[in-house]
Amino acid sequence: GGVPLADRYVVARRRRAAPGLPEFISGWTGPDGRYALHLPAGRYFVAAAARFPPALPAAALRPTVVHAAMRELDILTDEAPPRPPKEQE
């Protein structure tokens, strides 16, 4: 399992290495890390990003198969969750 990340968005491409913007881009994730991205059934390479436009290396895009009946997909990243603010003394 992982930690939900806020203020990210999810991208999906049909090919791992492709020029330009990804074919599919979600809105920003909420505080709970949830996002909405409507994809037709098929094979994709997906990732989450914190900046737009995404500057994701091809290795960051993970292969995923989307089935017609799917309603949820967790995107795992190597990104560390944000640290809580330090308490002031």
Side-chain angles (χ1 to χ4, degrees):
V3 176
L5 295 174
D7 301 321
R8 305 298 188 274
Y9 62 94
V10 176
V11 300
R13 306 188 100 121
R14 293 188 188 271
R15 292 183 298 149
R16 180 172 279 177
L21 292 174
E23 295 100 311
F24 302 93
I25 303 172
S26 76
W28 295 101
T29 59
D32 59 359
R34 290 192 169 271
Y35 66 94
L37 182 64
H38 301 279
L39 297 171
R43 295 178 184 269
Y44 299 92
F45 292 92
V46 298
R51 294 189 179 136
F52 191 86
L56 298 166
L61 295 159
R62 301 187 184 205
T64 302
V65 176
V66 173
H67 302 282
M70 287 178 76
R71 296 288 177 244
E72 293 186 10
L73 175 66
D74 289 337
I75 306 296
L76 302 178
T77 72
D78 295 332
E79 182 179 354
R83 297 179 188 209
K86 291 184 180 181
E87 292 184 26
Q88 295 182 0
E89 296 179 13

